[in-house]
Amino acid sequence: QVVGTSRGQVCRALLWENGETVDLNDVKGDYPHSLVNAMDINAAGRISGRAQKADGSFVGIVATPAPGRGEGS
C-alpha cells in the first residue's frame, strides 16, 4: 500500500493497493470534507493527510480503514 496525492485542477488523496488506484473520496463514507492529501499509511492501514472544508480551510485527518481493509488484507 502506498498513499499520495493526484494533482490537477483539484488535488485528490489516493491509495495505491494491489496494482489499483483508489480515490479516497470515493470510499470516505459520510465524511463531509474533500480529502486532498494522503501523506502516510501505517501497518494497520490508517492514513494521515489533509482535507479541505467548503470554506477553503484545511484540517488534518486520520482515516481508519473499513472492516476488511488494512492490515492483513
Side-chain angles (χ1 to χ4, degrees):
Q1 294 177 319
V2 177
V3 295
T5 304
S6 171
R7 296 183 185 267
Q9 282 187 313
V10 177
C11 291
R12 310 292 281 186
L14 301 176
L15 168 69
W16 288 271
E17 179 177 48
N18 300 322
E20 295 186 21
T21 303
V22 177
D23 182 333
L24 294 175
N25 288 285
D26 294 339
V27 295
K28 68 180 181 174
D30 60 359
Y31 184 70
H33 309 309
S34 178
L35 303 178
V36 295
N37 298 103
M39 299 175 184
D40 197 17
I41 186 168
N42 68 15
R46 290 183 189 91
I47 299 168
S48 63
R50 291 190 317 159
Q52 187 170 24
K53 296 173 148 186
D55 67 5
S57 64
F58 294 92
V59 294
I61 60 107
V62 175
T64 302
R69 296 192 70 103
E71 187 175 7
S73 345

